[in-house]
Amino acid sequence: MSGVTHAAPPRWRRGEGRKALLWMSPWLVGFAVFFAYPLAATVYFSFHRYDLFTLEFIGLDNYRYFLHDDRAWVSIKNTLWLVVFMVPAQVLFGLAVAQLLTRLKAGSGFFRTVFYLPSLVPLVAGTVSFVFLMNPSGPLNQIIELFGITAPDWFGDKDWAKPGLTLLAMWGIGNTMMIFLAALLDVPKHLYEAAAIDGAGGWRQFRSITLPMISPVLMFSTVTGVIYALQYFTQAMIASRVAAGVTDSPGSSFVPGYPELSTLTLPQWLFHAGFRDFSMGYACVLALLLFAASVIFTLVLIRRFRTFADGQGGNP
Amino acid sequence: MTTLATRPPTTASPAGRAAARGGRARRTLYWIATHTVAVALSMMFIGPLVFVTLTALMSDDQALTGDLWPDTWNWGNFAEVFARSQLLHWLGNTFMYAGLGTLFTLLSSIPVAYAMARFRFRGRRLAFFAVIMMMMLPPQVVAVPVYLIWARFELTGTLWPLILPMLLGDAFSIFLLRQFLVTIPREYTEAALVDGCSDLRILVRVILPMARPGIAAVALFQFFYCWNDYYGPLLYAQTTEENWTLSLGLASFRALHSVQWNLTMAATLLVMAPVIIVFFFAQKAFVEGVTLTGVKG
């Protein structure tokens, strides 16, 4: 990480392997119990009908059911919407705000704090707030209507609920922004000076110097953004519950995704299938789908880590 | 935003001076433009919190009208939230989850991160990849079998299924700590090794004092993660109201108390407040933690 090559020879001492195993044993147990075993069990259950009481082998029925489960496909479509629209909005906005911060001469510390703060607001609290702020007669719509534009009924309209959630995501770009800021400040100043002398304008400098220099971080943010979009749960769940004004408890008839399934994401449908309908076998089919998608993006991410995985690699 | 920021130093010739004057005017304009954008953005980031606060102070009737400014300042709304809900009880549960969770995470993850950062052994890359895999795996993927494990121990309905696993290490914390520990020069530990220190002694006496900022960042992140967590408590504690956390309570608040936006916003504000206060005391550790997780990837 530091890019410094340590003086210690890369030999591997006898006994360190055993010692490392001992030191890592808590995590190794955790890995086995909460990762390896459940993953295998998920595959096993996916071939069964299981409602917590009876376990019955049904072969590929769960998979066949999935192919005809309209709500599953809606949830996949919604999740893809988030990947295609919400993630880029978040990454680009985070980059723009970080870029702005590097240009501020006065009060950059203050502005950084202000821009970062919302990302710390508990997700549930932030979402409840936004459902209120964006209700039909709420503050945001009043501001919009000052400009003579008819404001939408954000979380009550199936076409506007996901854009509403995207605004919430953009409000909470603090972490993304901070990562970009650190990367931007790492770009050697003399590159810009040299480019300026050569007559390169602002846009040209951004394209030819900034973008290539921060591309690993850009990549990192995008991939982690996609991985987290695949897990998108809390905000969608809370937005639909608060907008619909209902509670959700086991056995209740509440279906997430209000309005009209527009905020139903794959993790929510999985949760609903497994822990509200108690179709645990079917939930495992959805879990495997989620797993496959996550693995693909995680492998991309791991490539970015490879060079410093042994603790002394330079820049990738 | 991307307009030219730095210009080469000007020369002393008259033409150069004129250019410098022009440059100064441009720079001033640029200064004004960037700072105006920054102020406008600040209002967008802070605005939601301001409107939430203003609504929290309105009377029941006014909160429904969509007014932006309270006619009367109803500070009693906050007391009303405490009176009408189990907020204090939820707060206690949240503290238990976040406090014990953080403590357990540090106890279990520090040794693991230490081993990954310090020891040379076959499979260390594999171990590191496994950590990243675990970190990136959506918790929903393994939810069913893990839930069944806890159901067998009859611990569903409590927060223990969320707290106890932290005794076995937390992938994100291990990752972050490891990133921090590998930046500590090996020379320090080699010297201690030559002096005949045991590994445990090296960890406690040499590494931990040097890694204090990293440990602080991990502790904060873990505490906030638990504090904000909704999915975990929803899965395990939803059925038993006395075990609810703030997240669960707030999620049900509006439905339980009809459509009183003022009280809902007051409750929301009470849930946010501790987080914001902690942040102002521990800004540095946050920033350090964030940059460590992402930069130079």
Side-chain angles (χ1 to χ4, degrees), chain A residues 86-170:
Chain A
M86 190 179 76
V87 175
Q90 225 176 346
V91 169
L92 293 178
F93 188 55
L95 176 59
V97 173
Q99 181 76 253
L100 174 74
L101 275 173
T102 64
R103 303 300 169 88
L104 293 178
K105 295 278 188 306
S108 69
F110 167 79
F111 287 119
R112 197 180 61 190
T113 304
V114 168
F115 299 158
Y116 183 69
L117 189 62
S119 66
L120 286 170
V121 169
L123 282 182
V124 174
T127 312
V128 173
S129 305
F130 266 64
V131 174
F132 163 70
L133 293 166
M134 297 165 82
N135 83 59
S137 60
L140 180 71
N141 280 8
Q142 292 194 34
I143 293 170
I144 291 175
E145 273 154 17
L146 281 184
F147 296 96
I149 304 166
T150 320
D153 174 10
W154 298 91
F155 294 108
D157 181 336
K158 67 176 170 53
D159 294 327
W160 287 96
K162 281 190 289 284
L165 290 171
T166 305
L167 283 187
L168 173 64
M170 288 170 75

Side-chain angles (χ1 to χ4, degrees), chain A residues 53-64:
Chain A
F53 301 105
T54 51
L55 182 69
E56 181 197 347
F57 179 79
I58 52 166
L60 288 173
D61 281 3
N62 283 327
Y63 291 87
R64 264 181 231 121

Side-chain angles (χ1 to χ4, degrees), chain A residues 62-97:
Chain A
N62 283 327
Y63 291 87
R64 264 181 231 121
Y65 179 79
F66 165 71
L67 293 177
H68 299 105
D69 181 6
D70 293 339
R71 285 184 183 165
W73 291 103
V74 169
S75 74
I76 290 169
K77 242 190 277 171
N78 286 335
T79 303
L80 285 177
W81 192 100
L82 299 175
V83 169
V84 173
F85 293 104
M86 190 179 76
V87 175
Q90 225 176 346
V91 169
L92 293 178
F93 188 55
L95 176 59
V97 173

Side-chain angles (χ1 to χ4, degrees), chain B residues 24-162:
Chain B
R24 206 172 304 134
R26 262 186 72 178
R27 267 204 296 275
T28 312
L29 222 67
Y30 183 77
W31 191 97
I32 294 171
T34 47
H35 286 78
T36 309
V37 175
V39 170
L41 273 177
S42 304
M43 291 201 264
M44 281 159 58
F45 278 102
I46 290 298
L49 300 176
V50 174
F51 287 122
V52 166
T53 312
L54 290 173
T55 308
L57 291 168
M58 288 177 187
S59 65
D60 293 359
D61 295 335
Q62 199 198 357
L64 290 171
T65 59
D67 285 356
L68 296 183
W69 195 260
D71 289 332
T72 52
W73 300 83
N74 297 271
W75 295 98
N77 286 350
F78 293 108
E80 190 77 23
V81 170
F82 282 103
R84 287 226 206 156
S85 71
Q86 298 286 310
L87 196 75
L88 274 182
H89 194 77
W90 301 336
L91 186 75
N93 288 338
T94 311
F95 257 114
M96 184 187 81
Y97 175 25
L100 279 181
T102 307
L103 184 73
F104 288 178
T105 299
L106 287 180
L107 281 178
S108 61
S109 300
I110 289 176
V112 182
Y114 175 67
M116 286 190 177
R118 292 284 128 179
F119 297 138
R120 296 169 180 285
F121 56 96
R122 227 190 290 274
R124 55 183 296 181
R125 274 168 174 253
L126 194 69
F128 185 60
F129 290 164
V131 167
I132 296 179
M133 262 314 210
M134 265 179 101
M135 190 168 100
M136 292 303 165
L137 182 82
Q140 294 96 345
V141 168
V142 290
V144 170
V146 172
Y147 184 90
L148 295 172
I149 294 175
W150 295 110
R152 185 156 303 169
F153 288 110
E154 293 183 2
L155 282 172
T156 52
T158 72
L159 291 169
W160 291 110
L162 304 171

Side-chain angles (χ1 to χ4, degrees), chain B:
Chain B
M1 199 173 311
T2 50
T3 337
L4 183 64
T6 45
R7 317 194 97 243
T10 51
T11 53
S13 69
R17 241 172 301 169
R21 255 200 308 281
R24 206 172 304 134
R26 262 186 72 178
R27 267 204 296 275
T28 312
L29 222 67
Y30 183 77
W31 191 97
I32 294 171
T34 47
H35 286 78
T36 309
V37 175
V39 170
L41 273 177
S42 304
M43 291 201 264
M44 281 159 58
F45 278 102
I46 290 298
L49 300 176
V50 174
F51 287 122
V52 166
T53 312
L54 290 173
T55 308
L57 291 168
M58 288 177 187
S59 65
D60 293 359
D61 295 335
Q62 199 198 357
L64 290 171
T65 59
D67 285 356
L68 296 183
W69 195 260
D71 289 332
T72 52
W73 300 83
N74 297 271
W75 295 98
N77 286 350
F78 293 108
E80 190 77 23
V81 170
F82 282 103
R84 287 226 206 156
S85 71
Q86 298 286 310
L87 196 75
L88 274 182
H89 194 77
W90 301 336
L91 186 75
N93 288 338
T94 311
F95 257 114
M96 184 187 81
Y97 175 25
L100 279 181
T102 307
L103 184 73
F104 288 178
T105 299
L106 287 180
L107 281 178
S108 61
S109 300
I110 289 176
V112 182
Y114 175 67
M116 286 190 177
R118 292 284 128 179
F119 297 138
R120 296 169 180 285
F121 56 96
R122 227 190 290 274
R124 55 183 296 181
R125 274 168 174 253
L126 194 69
F128 185 60
F129 290 164
V131 167
I132 296 179
M133 262 314 210
M134 265 179 101
M135 190 168 100
M136 292 303 165
L137 182 82
Q140 294 96 345
V141 168
V142 290
V144 170
V146 172
Y147 184 90
L148 295 172
I149 294 175
W150 295 110
R152 185 156 303 169
F153 288 110
E154 293 183 2
L155 282 172
T156 52
T158 72
L159 291 169
W160 291 110
L162 304 171
I163 299 169
L164 290 177
M166 292 184 189
L167 277 173
L168 299 179
D170 166 73
F172 176 71
S173 306
I174 293 171
F175 169 74
L176 214 157
L177 277 169
R178 179 204 169 276
Q179 297 303 79
F180 201 87
L181 293 184
V182 291
T183 62
I184 296 177
R186 202 167 272 274
E187 284 72 22
Y188 289 97
T189 50
E190 305 261 305
L193 210 59
V194 170
D195 289 347
C197 278
S198 68
D199 289 312
L200 186 65
R201 219 178 139 82
I202 292 176
L203 173 64
V204 175
R205 287 297 165 85
V206 184
I207 300 283
L208 288 190
M210 295 183 77
R212 219 175 278 151
I215 293 170
V218 169
L220 274 173
F221 276 125
Q222 193 63 10
F223 192 87
F224 272 46
Y225 170 79
C226 299
W227 189 276
N228 296 340
D229 188 18
Y230 172 70
Y231 180 76
L234 178 72
L235 190 53
Y236 290 106
Q238 171 86 32
T239 46
T240 320
E241 199 169 335
E242 66 178 279
N243 289 327
W244 279 11
T245 60
L246 286 172
S247 293
L248 286 181
L250 187 60
S252 302
F253 194 88
R254 183 167 175 259
L256 295 179
H257 302 281
S258 68
V259 218
Q260 285 172 302
W261 278 120
N262 55 343
L263 294 189
T264 306
M265 287 303 107
T268 307
L269 209 58
L270 287 170
V271 172
M272 286 180 191
V275 174
I276 293 175
I277 292 167
V278 171
F279 170 66
F280 277 106
F281 284 106
Q283 273 190 56
K284 202 169 160 261
F286 273 108
V287 173
E288 216 148 305
V290 173
T291 44
L292 260 180
T293 53
V295 189
K296 307 196 175 172

